[in-house]
Amino acid sequence: MTQQAKQICQDMPSSSSFSSTFRTERKTARKIRMQSLDPQGKVKADRDRGILYGKTEIDLTYVEQLVETSQTRFLMDCLVYLGRQLTGDHTIKEIISMLQQGLDTTD
């Protein structure tokens, strides 16, 4: 390590002071309104672009893990399922748990 690199490291704030300065802790989990998953129109999956969900376009262009149209359709189907099955407000953890239960019952 060069002397210049050592100096840069010393001049930078430590991770503990940085995180305590900029981190805000939530006392309650953020909730998502399930009514926001109402597509209000047609729903269509396109491998190259993403998902057209009513009037909203969900751009998945840079999600490199999606290589087949069926994968994009599966994501679209999950959104539609959640929009139909859930009401009220739920945390991400609750939504994932309910989605997993739904997938387990369809096996």
Side-chain angles (χ1 to χ4, degrees):
M1 186 181 280
T2 66
Q3 188 61 30
Q4 183 181 8
K6 289 179 184 178
Q7 185 60 42
I8 291 171
C9 290
Q10 288 176 353
D11 293 343
M12 292 183 68
S14 69
S15 61
S16 61
S17 66
F18 179 80
S19 63
S20 64
T21 303
F22 293 100
R23 186 178 359 164
T24 58
E25 305 229 359
R26 295 183 82 93
K27 299 205 190 276
T28 59
R30 180 187 295 185
K31 294 195 174 193
I32 297 174
R33 292 186 176 170
M34 291 293 99
Q35 70 186 37
S36 68
L37 289 180
D38 181 10
Q40 300 177 357
K42 291 185 178 183
V43 179
K44 179 182 174 186
D46 179 19
R47 182 183 66 84
D48 296 333
R49 297 176 124 190
I51 299 170
L52 183 60
Y53 200 75
K55 297 176 183 176
T56 304
E57 184 175 341
I58 303 170
D59 184 9
L60 300 172
T61 304
Y62 298 106
V63 182
E64 296 175 359
Q65 292 83 354
L66 298 176
V67 294
E68 294 185 19
T69 306
S70 62
Q71 294 170 309
T72 306
R73 265 197 317 266
F74 176 75
L75 290 175
M76 176 196 69
D77 290 342
C78 288
L79 290 173
V80 170
Y81 172 82
L82 290 169
R84 289 182 181 159
Q85 297 295 319
L86 303 179
T87 58
D89 300 346
H90 298 281
T91 65
I92 292 286
K93 188 176 182 178
E94 292 169 341
I95 293 169
I96 296 299
S97 175
M98 292 175 202
L99 182 59
Q100 184 64 48
Q101 289 174 2
L103 291 171
D104 289 344
T105 59
T106 60
D107 286 343

